[in-house]
Amino acid sequence: MITLHPVTGGIRDGRHQHYPTPNLAPRQAEDETSAQEAACRMLRAYGAVSFLRLVDEAGVQVGELQRGDFFHSDSPLRDVHHRIVQEDLANCLAVA
């Protein structure tokens, strides 16, 4: 089980800090693939999220997924993002 913790960056107390995104609870994912899909959906839906910390069941950080990972050609998030966008587009066209 992997937990995705949304983190926001901004000015707090007069300096730039990273802090948990307000009003957005961490999400659970069963494996790395579902964590990547959840990350893509969260980063697309919530503009305030700067990156997601991936934490395993023991509370150890196992990774970090950033918004910029959508655009890097060597990033696994890029392929996942393209697939999710195509699925969402197909669903929108099927409804119309």
Side-chain angles (χ1 to χ4, degrees):
M1 188 70 75
I2 298 173
T3 305
L4 291 87
H5 294 274
V7 178
T8 297
I11 304 297
R12 263 193 165 178
D13 301 327
R15 59 190 172 130
H16 192 273
Q17 298 180 24
H18 291 104
Y19 50 90
T21 304
N23 303 320
L24 188 57
R27 305 270 170 99
Q28 299 285 327
E30 291 190 23
D31 57 14
E32 187 176 344
T33 302
S34 61
Q36 289 176 343
E37 289 179 6
C40 283
R41 293 188 189 282
M42 288 176 74
L43 290 170
R44 284 182 61 211
Y46 305 105
V49 176
S50 299
F51 62 93
L52 296 157
R53 283 192 182 117
L54 305 177
V55 178
D56 66 7
E57 294 173 353
V60 176
Q61 183 174 336
V62 294
E64 194 173 278
L65 297 173
Q66 301 202 15
R67 185 173 299 283
D69 291 341
F70 286 151
F71 309 109
H72 297 219
S73 62
D74 60 343
S75 171
L77 268 190
R78 182 178 173 151
D79 295 332
V80 174
H81 182 249
H82 286 187
R83 184 172 42 79
I84 287 174
V85 169
Q86 289 174 351
E87 289 173 7
D88 290 349
L89 185 59
N91 290 338
C92 288
L93 294 175
V95 172

